[in-house]
Amino acid sequence: MSRLDSVIRRLSAQRDCLGWAVEHAPDGAVLDLGLGNGRTYHHLREIAPARDVYVIDRHMAAHPSSVPPDDFFLEGEAEPMVEALAARIGRSVALAHYDLGNGVPENDVPLAKAIAALLPKVLCNGALIVANAELEGFEQLPTPEGVAPGRYFIQRYKG
Ligand SMILES: C[S@@+](CC[C@H](N)C(=O)[O-])C[C@H]1O[C@@H](n2cnc3c(N)ncnc32)[C@H](O)[C@@H]1O
């Protein structure tokens, strides 16, 4: 498969999983881990207009159309920023999207493990986590039809 085909499939899996999760998550806020260019943040604002959407990234590099308000953007390393969000809103997040990493397993695997251990500090009971990796400690749910197994992940927190 070409890299272009692979990117197209990953992004459409991401969109399909986020769409399903917005429909099935309990009431509460959204947390987008990894602002990047702001594509998923922009999409989440569009598909979940009534929910607060918090975003974490170590730096602001979003397209001008996708810059979160200051109160909803936590700029810094993900681990202390999840702790800071927990101190601010407690366990109010009903849907988390995990899109951190740089594609290098030596970096991404320990990061995913560390964030998976911290997320319960902000997740409400029954919260859904849509992720680019299988995070430890959560119930794995099936992905929507058309999403190939292992391409994107949906998980549930039973806290
Ligand atoms: C794949 S991009 C996110 C793409 C974004 N969801 C979008 O749709 O445009 C990953 C982002 O994670 C951020 N990142 C990676 N590791 C991080 C860490 N340990 N703490 C904070 N941000 C991190 C990078 O700065 C980058 O912007």
Side-chain angles (χ1 to χ4, degrees):
M1 185 190 301
S2 75
R3 287 182 59 218
L4 178 61
D5 282 335
S6 175
V7 167
I8 289 167
R9 287 190 193 191
R10 186 174 61 80
L11 293 181
S12 83
Q14 186 181 58
R15 180 199 55 199
D16 293 350
C17 291
L18 289 173
W20 185 91
V22 163
E23 295 301 317
H24 292 85
D27 289 342
V30 175
L31 171 60
D32 195 20
L33 291 134
L35 175 65
N37 181 271
R39 290 187 188 95
T40 54
Y41 169 71
H42 190 271
H43 189 65
L44 286 163
R45 292 303 313 268
E46 198 165 286
I47 64 175
R51 296 181 189 254
D52 286 341
V53 183
Y54 295 90
V55 195
I56 289 173
D57 203 297
R58 58 166 55 121
H59 52 234
M60 168 56 65
H63 183 272
S65 67
S66 309
V67 175
D70 287 348
D71 284 355
F72 290 87
F73 181 53
L74 293 98
E75 185 168 13
E77 289 304 301
E79 291 172 61
M81 292 304 104
V82 172
E83 300 269 16
L85 186 63
R88 204 200 303 174
I89 66 169
R91 293 182 52 206
S92 304
V93 172
L95 168 57
H97 174 226
Y98 180 89
D99 196 18
L100 295 175
N102 59 10
V104 178
E106 290 74 13
N107 172 74
D108 293 353
V109 172
L111 178 61
K113 197 177 170 80
I115 298 300
L118 282 176
L119 278 178
K121 294 189 173 192
V122 294
L123 298 177
C124 68
N125 291 341
L128 297 179
I129 306 106
V130 174
N132 65 10
E134 194 169 352
L135 301 183
E136 285 175 19
F138 303 107
E139 178 194 6
Q140 300 298 323
L141 301 183
T143 48
E145 201 181 333
V147 175
R151 192 166 290 277
Y152 229 69
F153 300 88
I154 303 178
Q155 293 144 110
R156 180 184 287 130
Y157 173 59
K158 287 185 174 169

